[in-house]
Amino acid sequence: MFQFSQPYNPHLFIICRFMGFRSMGRDESMAEYMLKMLMQVLINFSMGLIMALIIFIFGLWNIIQTYQPSPLTALFFFVTAACAAFALVSTYLFALYGAAAGGVYGLVKMAETNGRIEGGPGGRRNIRGDRVDRNGGYQQQGAWGDQRNARPHYQ
């Protein structure tokens, strides 16, 4: 299939890239599956970025020591570079989670609006404000409620 002497195998890369994705279960809806996949992607990005930050901070001191600076300069640069790396990772994760939360919120609002249009909570209404039931008949539950039937000039 592949040899270990090859420095790069594109097929192995594609296989490893999609290893974290799972198939949809028989008893879960598409929305539930998509939310689980979104959470999996967010956790993967979070763990990867945090591990990269930790490895960078541990390797940073060795990089600084190769230049043989004064101890005060080395400490100042180490703290500055570590804070900058932390700021970069935290900003990226904040933007990633914010985009995910905004996307989910937008999808929920769109589904809520579509539910109202199709007769969900609130129901579909005609021009007079009467509720339209599933069979195409009208139920007079508009702004006037049952008072319309009591007033002959509204019929």
Side-chain angles (χ1 to χ4, degrees):
M1 187 164 130
F2 62 91
Q3 297 174 357
F4 289 109
S5 62
Q6 291 179 342
Y8 175 70
N9 188 347
H11 301 291
L12 181 63
F13 176 72
I14 292 172
I15 290 169
C16 290
R17 179 174 235 177
F18 293 106
M19 260 176 52
F21 298 134
R22 60 180 194 80
S23 61
M24 189 166 132
R26 188 168 60 172
D27 295 333
E28 61 186 354
S29 65
M30 182 59 106
E32 188 178 2
Y33 174 72
M34 294 304 282
L35 282 175
K36 284 183 181 180
M37 289 300 296
L38 177 68
M39 288 303 297
Q40 182 71 40
V41 167
L42 290 176
I43 289 170
N44 286 347
F45 269 104
S46 300
M47 296 300 291
L49 283 170
I50 290 170
M51 286 304 298
L53 176 67
I54 291 170
I55 291 169
F56 172 76
I57 289 174
F58 279 120
L60 180 63
W61 188 252
N62 291 332
I63 294 171
I64 292 172
Q65 289 305 311
T66 58
Y67 289 101
Q68 299 172 349
S70 67
L72 187 61
T73 305
L75 183 65
F76 176 73
F77 184 77
F78 178 78
V79 169
T80 304
C83 287
F86 178 76
L88 177 87
V89 168
S90 61
T91 302
Y92 189 82
L93 286 177
F94 181 72
L96 189 68
Y97 279 92
V104 168
Y105 178 76
L107 287 175
V108 167
K109 285 308 231 182
M110 194 178 350
E112 181 181 297
T113 303
N114 287 342
R116 272 197 220 134
I117 289 172
E118 293 174 3
R124 231 175 42 181
R125 298 187 181 272
N126 66 0
I127 293 175
R128 293 187 324 193
D130 296 336
R131 181 175 263 227
V132 179
D133 63 6
R134 300 254 182 214
N135 299 329
Y138 296 111
Q139 303 169 356
Q140 291 186 349
Q141 296 176 351
W144 295 98
D146 291 335
Q147 296 175 358
R148 284 190 187 177
N149 295 334
R151 298 180 181 182
H153 58 280
Y154 279 109
Q155 294 179 355

